[in-house]
Amino acid sequence: MTSPLSTLTDPVCGMAVTEKSAHAQQHQGRTYYFCSAKCKAKFAADPQQYTQPPPAAQPPLPPVPAAAGTVYICPMHPEIRQDHPGTCPKCGMTLEPMLPALDADENPELRDFQRRFWGTLPLTAIVFVLAMVGHRFQWMDMALQSWVELVLATPIVLWAGWPFFHRGWQSVVNRSPNMWTLIGLGTGAAFVYSVAATVAPQVFPASFMAMGRVAVYFEAAAVIISLTLLGQVLELKARSQTSAAIKSLLGLAPKTARRIRADGTEEDVALAHVHVGDLLRIRPGEKVPVDGVVTEGGSAVDESMLTGEPVPVSKRVGDKVIGATLNTSGALVMRSEKVGSATVLAQIVQMVAQAQRSKAPMQRMADVVAGYFVVTVVTLALLTFLAWGVFGPEPRWVYGLINAVAVLIIACPCALGLATPMSIMVATGLGATRGVLFRDAAAIENLRKIDILIIDKTGTLTEGRPAFDRAVAAPGCDADEVLRLAASLDQGSEHPLADAIVRAARERGMVLDKPDHFESGSGIGVRGQLGGRTLALGNTTLMEQLGVSVAPLVAQAQALRAEGTSVMHLAVDGQLVGLLAVSDPIKASTPEALATLKAAGLRIVMATGDGLTTAQAVGARLGIDEVYGEVQPQDKLALVQRLQKEGRTVAMAGDGINDAPALAQADVGVAMGTGTDVAMNSAQVTLVKGDLRGLAIARALSEATVANMRQNLLFAFLYNALGIPIAAGVLYPVTGWLLSPMIAALAMSFSSASVIGNALRLRSQREP
């Protein structure tokens, strides 16, 4: 008899299964069922690993807020990372998941702050009204009013404001003064003083008396707490908007896949249970579940989520398909090659998240300034308290206390701390929607500085996929027959040039013969027997080895090479019968992209491993004056280093493994999203569409983002430079103006909201 657990759960992966599963195995008198043949094979290799008795029953654990393996990160200090929830030891902010879950509930910190804010807002309003007009209407004895205000303000300060005091204390323990240090000191001082004045008024000198009682400032502490809570609620809501780009990317992936079992039956499985090598069926209208290759069928797949192009791409057997793209018409069967975090979509999500959480060089400078700033503000607050207490009008020490609290509150560096992270988060999200992925904040800052762009040719300027150009026949021969013979011979070759020739012949409806014998020369061409004739197809070296004269078509061959094509000679029975030209077409978007970049003041250099003649031909067609051909990876790296030593700020754009060293060395490496994973991992910017026009978009976004960060930093510094003297009472001798701590708290919240609002303006940035 089988146990209920083993009949309903795959013992290897934990997936729910039924007794109808086609994958089952007996072990020690028990039948185990599996979701796939792979799980069954793992079980058969080591049954003991999966048949250990379960541990003793444990009480149920509380639900966790995020999936296992979640990395929690500080929004303001992305270097702070841990595997469990908590607060940042530097700034006290609640850590949040680096990758937001698509189905995650509303931010728990936002819910908590909303509850504290709305729960105590009525109490704050009552305390404020009593403090402002209670003495005029004489609703009660003023000493009794102090006790009423104490009762009402206590839950506001001690419950609603508890997170702020906790963060302030952590800033002291961790020796990292921040905004919470100032808020905790300011509100704490006002509240403790007011409690003492209410409970023991007799210990205060007569100068502290006002309107029949020792002056209290419960309303200042209460209103500051409520306004700070309001500011945090607004900030958290704004921060949630920056994760919309990641959530929209996560929403592209389907939830399930239809897997084909070994016996031909099919089942729907969760995407997490798809393994490499699984055969998956994709019906019309369904999304491709993971990255892989088509093994059966044909269809048109909408890849606009990656390329932005609305026209579906035709897919046949052997073509690659990418997860989250949409199958529009026919049915496909694919073999999965990349699953989970290895898929293109998952890598894009990771890159966006990493860029959003990275810290810009400008932010690192702001952090250093903010640390000294808090210490300076505390010193100024103490000086304000002493100056008013010694030299101010009566009640001098009351004025000193209130103005010192105002200095602490208005100087809160929250606006300074948010100035650059908000701009970076908005910019990276916007870039992702436009097909530009920034790896980090430094890339956004540096991209606007580049003055020279080194570009690889194949796959960057060109399509990266050879295409048949033309066939040229020798005198007395037919060009179509030249193509048919070459394609028939090339059927046995896996070379990209051979594939282009065979594909062109089939597209023209030519009937190809099967060669009787096929032999591939090492990099110089192929030979074979076809219908009793001996054929040879290759370069001039192969022709020389076979004693075939290329003189009849030498002029035509040179002209084709000057156009940037690769030329092959076809000989039949020792006689040259024609030439075949294969080219790598220039991308349709390349001329426009280069013109835009040149207009922006960039110097364009092409460096390619192709022959110099071909490179110069492509460079001439595109108006590139500086061309380097036949360069190796180390040569590209040396070129970047040489230009950097000359004082140039260099960007390198490429798509291949051979470009990786130069991409990593450049001030800004730009990878084509259609290229290799190594190139993308080496670069700081990825153009998802593989279109150089994206570089112009990225550069414009870089300029707008840096300008936005500077505006935010300037606003934050000016705000404090103007606010602190007013709060300290510098203008009082001349104008009689004093800044209430409540007004200071309102201004502090407004400054943060202004910085956030200015950063969100980037979303309206237009493409160049």
Side-chain angles (χ1 to χ4, degrees):
M1 179 177 178
T2 58
S3 68
L5 179 62
S6 64
T7 57
L8 296 177
T9 305
D10 184 325
V12 176
C13 67
M15 180 180 172
V17 293
T18 67
E19 295 180 359
K20 296 182 180 180
S21 173
H23 309 288
Q25 181 168 322
Q26 290 280 339
H27 177 70
Q28 296 181 346
R30 176 179 295 178
T31 303
Y32 293 87
Y33 295 88
F34 308 90
C35 68
S36 66
K38 288 197 173 185
C39 286
K40 179 180 177 181
K42 288 182 179 180
F43 180 88
D46 186 8
Q48 291 298 118
Q49 179 181 349
Y50 305 105
T51 57
Q52 295 297 324
Q58 299 290 333
L61 295 174
V64 293
T70 298
V71 175
Y72 291 85
I73 190 169
C74 174
M76 287 177 61
H77 298 90
E79 68 275 13
I80 303 298
R81 303 186 182 200
Q82 61 187 43
D83 59 0
H84 58 278
T87 56
C88 175
K90 289 188 175 181
C91 66
M93 277 194 171
T94 298
L95 304 181
E96 55 188 36
M98 185 171 180
L99 286 179
L102 185 61
D103 55 352
D105 295 333
E106 188 180 33
N107 187 332
E109 184 183 24
L110 174 59
R111 289 201 308 270
D112 180 49
F113 280 3
Q114 286 175 326
R115 183 173 65 254
R116 294 175 189 269
F117 173 72
W118 292 111
T120 56
L121 184 60
L123 301 180
T124 300
I126 295 172
V127 171
F128 179 78
V129 171
L130 285 175
M132 294 296 102
V133 300
H135 62 282
R136 295 183 181 179
F137 293 96
Q138 294 293 316
W139 289 321
M140 63 190 79
D141 179 74
M142 294 305 294
L144 177 60
Q145 180 175 314
S146 294
W147 280 98
V148 172
E149 291 182 21
L150 169 60
V151 171
L152 295 175
T154 297
I156 302 171
V157 176
L158 299 186
W159 176 67
W162 176 251
F164 306 151
F165 291 113
H166 176 72
R167 294 175 179 183
W169 174 248
Q170 289 296 317
S171 71
V172 175
V173 171
N174 293 307
R175 299 180 181 179
S176 178
N178 53 52
M179 59 181 285
W180 307 112
T181 313
L182 301 183
I183 292 176
L185 283 174
T187 56
F191 182 73
V192 170
Y193 158 79
S194 299
V195 170
T198 302
V199 175
Q202 67 277 5
V203 303
F204 288 83
S207 61
F208 277 64
M209 296 293 293
M211 292 172 289
R213 65 171 179 176
V214 177
V216 294
Y217 292 92
F218 290 114
E219 83 285 356
V223 172
I224 288 169
I225 292 295
S226 291
L227 288 175
T228 305
L229 281 170
L230 176 61
Q232 287 297 293
V233 168
L234 295 176
E235 177 190 326
L236 289 168
K237 284 188 173 181
R239 273 163 48 188
S240 67
Q241 296 181 37
T242 62
S243 65
I246 294 179
K247 287 190 175 182
S248 64
L249 289 170
L250 291 172
L252 293 173
K255 303 297 184 293
T256 61
R258 190 162 188 82
R259 183 164 57 194
I260 303 175
R261 300 188 183 101
D263 61 0
T265 59
E266 300 179 5
E267 60 179 342
D268 289 325
V269 298
L271 203 62
H273 295 297
V274 174
H275 307 290
V276 174
D278 284 348
L279 291 179
L280 308 173
R281 185 177 299 281
I282 312 162
R283 292 165 292 195
E286 292 182 339
K287 288 185 175 181
V288 178
V290 294
D291 299 359
V293 62
V294 177
T295 60
E296 182 182 325
S299 181
V301 176
D302 181 359
E303 297 183 338
S304 58
M305 76 92 168
L306 279 178
T307 66
E309 299 298 331
V311 180
V313 180
S314 177
K315 297 292 182 182
R316 299 286 185 269
V317 174
D319 289 341
K320 300 284 187 179
V321 287
I322 299 173
T325 54
L326 180 65
N327 180 28
T328 62
S329 53
L332 295 173
V333 174
M334 65 168 288
R335 183 177 64 254
S336 60
E337 293 184 335
K338 293 182 179 180
V339 301
S341 60
T343 65
V344 170
L345 179 62
Q347 290 176 359
I348 291 175
V349 171
Q350 290 282 354
M351 290 180 69
V352 173
Q354 182 177 352
Q356 287 193 343
R357 302 304 185 193
S358 61
K359 186 180 294 187
M362 196 177 294
Q363 174 63 25
R364 289 193 287 270
M365 176 196 69
D367 286 347
V368 173
V369 172
Y372 291 106
F373 178 78
V374 172
V375 175
T376 302
V377 168
V378 172
T379 303
L380 289 175
L382 289 173
L383 292 175
T384 298
F385 176 71
L386 294 174
W388 275 92
V390 175
F391 303 109
E394 294 294 342
R396 294 177 295 172
W397 293 105
V398 173
Y399 276 131
L401 175 66
I402 300 307
N403 289 329
V405 170
V407 169
L408 291 172
I409 298 303
I410 200 168
C412 171
C414 49
L416 183 64
L418 290 170
T420 63
M422 285 302 303
S423 299
I424 292 297
M425 294 175 77
V426 174
T428 50
L430 180 62
T433 63
R434 295 181 176 178
V436 178
L437 303 179
F438 294 101
R439 170 176 291 185
D440 51 38
I444 297 179
E445 284 198 37
N446 293 333
L447 191 57
R448 66 186 178 87
K449 303 176 185 176
I450 62 172
D451 53 14
I452 188 166
L453 174 64
I454 303 174
I455 311 180
D456 174 50
K457 181 182 78 71
T458 305
T460 305
L461 296 174
T462 65
E463 296 287 352
R465 184 179 182 183
F468 176 75
D469 185 276
R470 75 193 78 170
V472 178
C477 300
D478 179 69
D480 285 345
E481 181 64 10
V482 170
L483 174 59
R484 192 189 73 82
L485 290 174
S488 297
L489 180 61
D490 263 340
Q491 289 180 97
S493 174
E494 296 180 353
H495 195 281
L497 298 181
D499 178 68
I501 292 173
V502 174
R503 188 169 64 250
R506 287 175 174 165
E507 288 174 353
R508 288 163 171 75
M510 295 180 177
V511 178
L512 305 183
D513 299 326
K514 185 176 181 180
D516 301 321
H517 174 71
F518 178 82
E519 179 184 346
S520 176
S522 179
I524 60 175
V526 295
R527 292 182 289 176
Q529 299 290 327
L530 194 68
R533 293 184 292 178
T534 301
L535 276 64
L537 177 66
N539 58 20
T540 53
T541 302
L542 177 62
M543 296 297 108
E544 290 174 358
Q545 289 181 1
L546 299 177
V548 177
S549 173
V550 298
L553 296 176
V554 66
Q556 292 89 329
Q558 291 175 347
L560 288 171
R561 292 192 184 98
E563 294 178 8
T565 65
S566 299
V567 178
M568 289 163 284
H569 301 77
L570 177 65
V572 177
D573 292 333
Q575 296 295 320
L576 183 69
V577 297
L579 304 175
L580 294 106
V582 176
S583 63
D584 185 2
I586 294 173
K587 294 179 181 178
S589 60
T590 295
E592 177 189 346
L594 293 183
T596 302
L597 294 170
K598 283 184 176 180
L602 269 67
R603 172 183 161 200
I604 310 297
V605 176
M606 184 173 74
T608 176
D610 281 1
L612 184 59
T613 301
T614 301
Q616 289 175 337
V618 173
R621 290 176 60 184
L622 294 174
I624 300 175
D625 298 325
E626 193 170 346
V627 176
Y628 296 89
E630 301 177 3
V631 296
Q632 301 298 315
Q634 61 270 24
D635 299 325
K636 293 183 180 181
L637 176 61
L639 176 61
V640 173
Q641 292 171 333
R642 176 173 64 81
L643 291 170
Q644 288 175 328
K645 288 179 181 178
E646 294 174 1
R648 311 301 293 265
T649 304
V650 183
M652 169 71 195
D655 75 325
I657 295 175
N658 62 326
D659 299 315
L663 288 170
Q665 174 66 34
D667 296 286
V668 179
V670 182
M672 300 295 110
T674 51
T676 63
D677 291 343
V678 174
M680 286 186 278
N681 290 334
S682 302
Q684 292 82 46
V685 179
T686 298
L687 307 181
V688 176
K689 303 176 184 179
D691 184 342
L692 276 176
R693 287 178 297 187
L695 185 56
I697 294 173
R699 198 165 187 268
L701 187 57
S702 168
E703 292 175 345
T705 303
V706 171
N708 191 271
M709 288 192 291
R710 286 175 172 170
Q711 293 164 6
N712 288 345
L713 288 171
L714 179 63
F715 179 83
F717 279 117
L718 285 178
Y719 166 82
N720 287 299
L722 295 175
I724 291 176
I726 295 174
V730 171
L731 299 181
Y732 180 79
V734 179
T735 64
W737 292 352
L738 287 176
L739 190 65
S740 165
M742 292 180 291
I743 302 301
L746 180 63
M748 178 267 292
S749 297
F750 176 74
S751 70
S752 297
S754 299
V755 166
I756 294 169
N758 188 51
L760 292 176
R761 271 194 323 109
L762 279 172
R763 294 185 298 181
S764 61
Q765 170 73 18
R766 296 181 180 179
E767 295 186 15

